[in-house]
């Protein structure tokens, strides 16, 4: 399946499109340097892959605006050389493609504003498009306007594991559910290094997700879209297969 909508927002691989705006989340530029400092020598290959992915998405979307929904860089407590270089290069790339660029603050963006000052951009706590409220998802908003019907978050990095014998494949996913009286969409991470947190086996981290079992799973893989149904049903099927 190549076309799919969640609460009227269009899924284009790991990006969500509303009207003429693309939304991506959790890019985590500079992740390789953090892993290198931890002893895992990973080449700095993520930046080029992110550009390739976004170019393929934009060919389909033809959007004029983009929202980066938090965690544009990886390090919490500082800015390293890779982050300075790649964040600025990424912003320069976006400014050549999109008329408007908005960046929402994530929990990894404690020092991101210092980089954005070089391009006269400012972090925001949230964005509103029509009746959609877009926020990173690591904390609950103090107030939501009355016209809002759907909340869009990142932060969670959702994925699921597909098992075939001893082989396990992870696939990034969207989550479709509700929070209080609002529709809720959780966007997969855009980072190329980590697939994310397996929602079937790991505890969720966003305060917006109160009962993961009642969320629907929409997996994305290289542009293809796979609706998997509800989390509770996937868990039940996995349980039956493991006990067969």
């Amino acid at each position: 399946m190549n076309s799919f909508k969640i609460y009227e927002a269009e899924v284009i691989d790991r990006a969500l499109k509303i009207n003429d705006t693309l939304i991506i989340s959790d890019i985590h530029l500079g992740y390789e340097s953090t892993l290198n400092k931890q002893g895992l020598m990973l080449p700095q290959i993520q930046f080029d892959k992110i550009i390739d992915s976004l170019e393929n998405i934009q060919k389909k979307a033809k959007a004029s605006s983009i929202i980066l929904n938090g965690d544009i860089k990886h390090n919490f407590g500082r800015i390293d050389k890779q982050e300075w270089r790649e964040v600025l290069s990424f912003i320069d790339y976006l400014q050549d493609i999109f008329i408007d660029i908005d960046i929402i603050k994530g929990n990894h963006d404690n020092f991101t504003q210092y980089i954005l000052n070089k391009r006269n951009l400012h972090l925001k706590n949230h964005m509103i498009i029509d009746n959609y409220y877009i926020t990173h998802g690591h904390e609950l908003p103090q107030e939501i306007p009355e016209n809002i019907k759907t909340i869009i978050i990142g932060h969670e990095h959702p994925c699921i594991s597909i098992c075939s014998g001893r082989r396990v494949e992870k696939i990034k996913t969207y989550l479709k559910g509700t929070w209080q009286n609002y529709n809720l969409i959780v966007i997969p991470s855009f980072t190329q290094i980590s697939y994310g947190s397996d929602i079937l086996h790991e505890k969720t981290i966003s305060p917006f997700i109160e009962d993961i079992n009642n969320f629907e799973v929409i997996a994305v893989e290289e542009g293809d879209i796979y609706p998997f149904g509800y989390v509770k049903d996937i868990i039940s099927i996995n349980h039956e297969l493991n006990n067969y």
Side-chain angles (χ1 to χ4, degrees):
M1 183 182 297
N2 294 313
S3 178
F4 195 87
K5 289 188 175 182
I6 306 175
Y7 297 128
E8 300 306 313
E10 183 181 2
V11 173
I12 306 178
D13 203 338
R14 287 165 291 135
L16 204 62
K17 184 183 180 186
I18 301 173
N19 298 337
D20 204 29
T21 300
L22 279 181
I23 305 166
I24 63 175
S25 188
D26 298 281
I27 307 168
H28 289 270
L29 293 171
Y31 197 0
E32 298 99 321
S33 63
T34 298
L35 294 175
N36 290 346
K37 289 180 176 63
Q38 295 173 354
L40 182 60
M41 303 310 297
L42 190 70
Q44 295 181 8
I45 58 175
Q46 175 177 224
F47 184 85
D48 290 339
K49 289 186 175 182
I50 285 173
I51 296 296
D52 288 343
S53 293
L54 191 53
E55 285 184 348
N56 289 331
I57 289 169
Q58 177 63 354
K59 286 177 183 177
K60 299 177 183 178
K62 296 179 174 59
S64 63
S65 303
I66 189 167
I67 295 172
L68 310 182
N69 191 16
D71 289 359
I72 185 173
K73 63 182 284 296
H74 184 70
N75 275 304
F76 285 99
R78 58 189 174 86
I79 308 171
D80 64 27
K81 292 181 180 179
Q82 183 187 0
E83 289 175 332
W84 272 109
R85 181 179 68 253
E86 291 189 352
V87 171
L88 289 176
S89 295
F90 189 60
I91 296 300
D92 291 342
Y93 165 78
L94 295 180
Q95 289 180 331
D96 287 338
I97 305 297
F98 300 97
I99 298 172
D100 294 310
I101 302 167
D102 290 290
I103 304 174
I104 295 171
K105 185 176 181 179
N107 56 305
H108 282 252
D109 290 317
N110 295 325
F111 294 91
T112 302
Q113 185 60 59
Y114 292 103
I115 307 177
L116 299 183
N117 287 340
K118 300 292 185 180
R119 297 298 184 265
N120 294 317
L121 293 170
H122 300 279
L123 288 170
K124 300 179 179 180
N125 289 322
H126 68 272
M127 289 286 297
I128 294 174
I129 303 176
D130 295 340
N131 56 14
Y132 296 88
Y133 184 97
I134 306 152
T135 188
H136 183 62
H138 61 296
E139 57 187 12
L140 298 177
Q142 294 182 350
E143 184 178 2
I144 299 176
E146 291 184 1
N147 68 309
I148 297 301
K149 293 183 179 179
T150 302
I151 296 173
I152 297 171
I153 67 169
H155 184 57
E156 191 65 41
H157 297 221
C159 74
I160 59 171
S161 295
I162 306 297
C163 301
S164 178
R166 294 183 178 180
R167 183 174 179 177
V168 178
E169 297 282 353
K170 281 191 171 183
I171 305 177
K172 290 177 181 281
T173 70
Y174 288 83
L175 297 177
K176 174 185 178 182
T178 60
W179 175 73
Q180 295 187 2
N181 296 320
Y182 302 97
N183 301 324
L184 182 65
I185 303 173
V186 186
I187 305 178
S189 61
F190 209 78
T191 176
Q192 298 279 4
I193 295 178
S194 170
Y195 276 92
S197 301
D198 186 347
I199 57 171
L200 303 180
H201 302 97
E202 299 178 50
K203 186 177 180 180
T204 57
I205 58 174
S206 173
F208 282 94
I209 302 177
E210 297 172 338
D211 184 1
I212 190 65
N213 290 297
N214 291 320
F215 278 77
E216 292 181 61
V217 175
I218 299 95
V220 287
E221 180 75 11
E222 297 182 354
D224 291 323
I225 303 165
Y226 306 96
F228 271 80
Y230 287 90
V231 172
K232 59 186 176 184
D233 295 330
I234 301 172
I235 292 174
S236 178
I237 292 170
N238 282 344
H239 181 74
E240 291 178 6
L241 290 174
N242 290 332
N243 287 279
Y244 180 70

